[in-house]
Amino acid sequence: MEKTTQLYEGKAKKVYATADPNLVIVSYKDDATAFDGTKKGTIRGKGAVNNRMSNFLMGKLAAAGIPTHFVEELNDRETVVKKVEIVPLEVIIRNVSAGSFAKRYGVEEGIVFDEPTFEFSYKNDDLHDPLLNTSHALALHLATRQEIDTIRAMALKVNEVLRAFFAECGVRLIDFKLEFGRLADGTIVLADEISPDTCRFWDARTGEKLDKDRFRRDLGSVEEAYEEMMRRVFGAR
Ligand code: ADP
Ligand code: UDP
């Protein structure tokens, strides 16, 4: 499978067409951004970590019955995925308060919720990804009610599978963002990536942050945290 034309360059990945109209190749970059793209940098080796970790986790999720876009890992940075029409919602599940939740509601980070929370933002850079609710998403025709129900159920299932897996790795899954897409026949599948860029991971023993917050908050040892997550995930296989 070979790349033909570049279809898109995002902040963290490039997307290429292939000879098969139903498949695209995603290429993961080391570029990192935060705070709506205002903070920019490079995390050496991140592209390879995110590609390999995301593919591995999607495999686990597929085994648990969750349909994903994953097709084939080509090399350290590149993967063939099913081409989808991305549902323009950033789906966020939280197990513990952190980040924008703590800020928005004026609470400290680290509060363990009785049950996971589900929210989504409108994936729209020009509008800075505003938070919205189901009726707003329906009013804007971003997804149908049935699609939103499917997405919610899949996201909560993803949380159960990943939370249990990361616990085996000595890591607490604090929160994460998912994206879903529609295949040509309308089937909803999990797309995009699952990685230290899109999840918060805290060491179960020490509470040390092992994710992109090290970059966002200038905590140092950013590359080391991504490498440590690789060891945890692939060591636990
Ligand atoms: P951003 O667009 O937020 O800068 P990335 O740099 O990660 O993000 O770019 C990857 C783009 O590819 C995102 O817009 C994402 O929604 C999209 N994408 C992810 N998976 C697929 C897929 N299977 N088919 C088509 N597009 C996808
Ligand atoms: N997240 C993401 N992309 C975004 C926004 C959030 O991957 O555009 C992830 C983020 O890494 C965290 C979770 O979603 O794991 C919740 O993020 P939050 O809403 O707290 O926002 P942030 O603090 O990142 O601004």
Side-chain angles (χ1 to χ4, degrees):
M1 181 68 41
E2 302 215 341
K3 299 181 287 210
T4 57
T5 53
Q6 183 178 307
L7 299 174
Y8 178 79
E9 173 159 11
K11 297 184 286 290
K13 303 190 283 299
K14 294 181 187 178
V15 182
Y16 295 90
T18 68
D20 183 334
N22 295 314
L23 299 176
V24 291
I25 292 175
V26 179
S27 178
Y28 285 71
K29 307 190 285 183
D30 285 351
D31 298 354
T33 62
F35 309 122
D36 212 15
T38 55
K39 182 181 171 93
K40 291 189 173 69
T42 302
I43 302 174
R44 210 168 8 89
K46 173 173 85 80
V49 168
N50 288 6
N51 180 45
R52 294 182 54 206
M53 191 182 299
S54 188
N55 292 341
F56 174 72
L57 295 173
M58 295 245 181
K60 283 230 164 266
L61 294 167
I66 296 159
T68 84
H69 70 165
F70 177 76
V71 176
E72 184 193 1
E73 185 169 292
L74 292 178
N75 55 52
D76 261 13
R77 284 177 189 271
E78 296 178 327
T79 294
V80 182
V81 298
K82 293 177 187 165
K83 182 177 188 166
V84 300
E85 178 190 25
I86 290 286
V87 176
L89 296 172
E90 300 210 334
V91 176
I92 294 175
I93 299 283
R94 303 175 190 272
N95 296 304
V96 177
S97 67
S100 71
F101 183 98
K103 196 167 170 206
R104 184 180 320 121
Y105 302 118
V107 296
E108 71 266 35
E109 297 197 306
I111 301 166
V112 179
F113 299 141
D114 296 341
E115 53 185 83
T117 68
F118 171 90
E119 74 201 45
F120 35 60
S121 299
Y122 182 16
K123 187 174 155 64
N124 184 318
D125 282 340
D126 294 338
L127 299 176
H128 313 289
D129 299 342
L131 191 66
L132 44 61
N133 65 25
T134 299
S135 61
H136 297 154
L138 293 173
L140 294 168
H141 292 161
L142 304 182
T144 66
R145 194 179 293 279
Q146 200 188 350
E147 284 176 335
I148 291 172
D149 289 346
T150 302
I151 286 170
R152 184 194 315 262
M154 281 171 65
L156 290 169
K157 179 85 187 288
V158 168
N159 185 44
E160 292 314 312
V161 174
L162 293 187
R163 206 156 52 145
F165 170 69
F166 283 114
E168 290 171 29
C169 307
V171 170
R172 294 174 71 198
L173 178 61
I174 304 303
D175 60 27
F176 57 93
K177 182 266 300 179
L178 300 175
E179 293 182 25
F180 293 85
R182 301 178 186 98
L183 299 179
D185 69 358
T187 309
I188 295 282
V189 300
L190 179 62
D192 205 49
E193 68 176 280
I194 306 175
S195 71
D197 271 16
T198 64
C199 303
R200 285 194 169 92
F201 298 125
W202 294 359
D203 183 282
R205 197 169 49 82
T206 64
E208 188 188 1
K209 296 187 195 330
L210 295 171
D211 57 61
K212 198 167 125 183
D213 271 349
R214 299 206 75 84
F215 168 77
R216 292 190 189 97
R217 303 179 186 189
D218 296 319
L219 300 177
S221 303
V222 184
E223 280 87 0
E224 289 80 357
Y226 280 71
E227 285 304 325
E228 178 60 21
M229 280 307 302
M230 271 311 264
R231 279 192 290 276
R232 299 288 182 100
V233 165
F234 286 93
R237 253 203 297 198

